[in-house]
Amino acid sequence: YQRLDRLLEQVNAVNAQLLSEDIMAKDADDDGATAEGIDLTSTTLDFDEKTEEAWRYSPDRGNVAFGSAVHGWAFRIETFAEMVAGKMGAKPQALQKVLWGEWAFSPKTKRAYRRPAGDTKSKPMFVQFVLEQLWRVYGAVHKEIQLEQLQKMQAQIPAWSDVDLSRLHAGSSATRDLLSRWLPFADCVLKMAAEQLPSPVE
């Protein structure tokens, strides 16, 4: 989780830098730049915060997908928010806002709370409700077949209802078969593109 978080921060930092350079260049064209450059004491550089926010990548906004092209799976935060919400008695839209970031879940109060700085006891909800579900599948099929564990999962994953688990052999092929059924890569990316990219008609 920490690695994914740092990677996303780096992407956003680079994106913000490119965006600010683009805006500064446009302001220079509008206001006039001399051969010596832009006079920052007299030129107003209007940095549009709404534009910056529009180009920020964040899983809770639906413009970030996690996946594996090798094993054919991908998901967005909303995928797991919809899966988990019913079990927690939560609304998917509300859960989506706390499945990424420094949020933890209290089983006693059934509420999400901000993890204190330096907290090493609680788990981020992304780890607890998303990554651990994926690790469980990998652990049960990638290196060795854990049939009993897979059968428990099968009862909760409709996409596996017609899979004969007893015929699976541990390895990448079985991993891809199960995960691509559960979290299809193409479906996830296509839906994200349709929702996030500008309409060709417009």
Side-chain angles (χ1 to χ4, degrees), residues 97-156:
K97 296 179 180 178
V98 294
L99 270 183
W100 179 260
E102 293 302 315
W103 293 92
F105 178 70
S106 170
K108 293 182 179 180
T109 63
K110 302 293 184 182
R111 297 177 68 87
Y113 64 92
R114 284 278 187 186
R115 299 175 71 232
D119 181 7
T120 58
K121 295 183 179 180
S122 66
K123 298 177 182 179
M125 292 178 68
F126 184 77
V127 174
Q128 182 178 359
F129 295 108
V130 179
L131 293 182
E132 287 187 352
Q133 313 310 312
L134 288 168
W135 294 336
R136 193 170 290 118
V137 176
Y138 272 95
V141 72
H142 192 57
K143 291 186 177 181
E144 62 176 346
I145 296 295
Q146 298 179 10
L147 188 57
E148 186 176 345
Q149 180 68 23
L150 287 174
Q151 288 171 338
K152 291 179 181 178
M153 295 181 197
Q154 187 177 41
Q156 301 176 350

Side-chain angles (χ1 to χ4, degrees), residues 72-75 79-80 83 134 178-185 188:
W73 59 265
F75 67 88
T79 308
F80 279 87
M83 290 182 192
L134 288 168
L178 292 182
L179 285 171
S180 64
R181 286 169 177 262
W182 182 30
L183 305 167
F185 187 98
C188 174

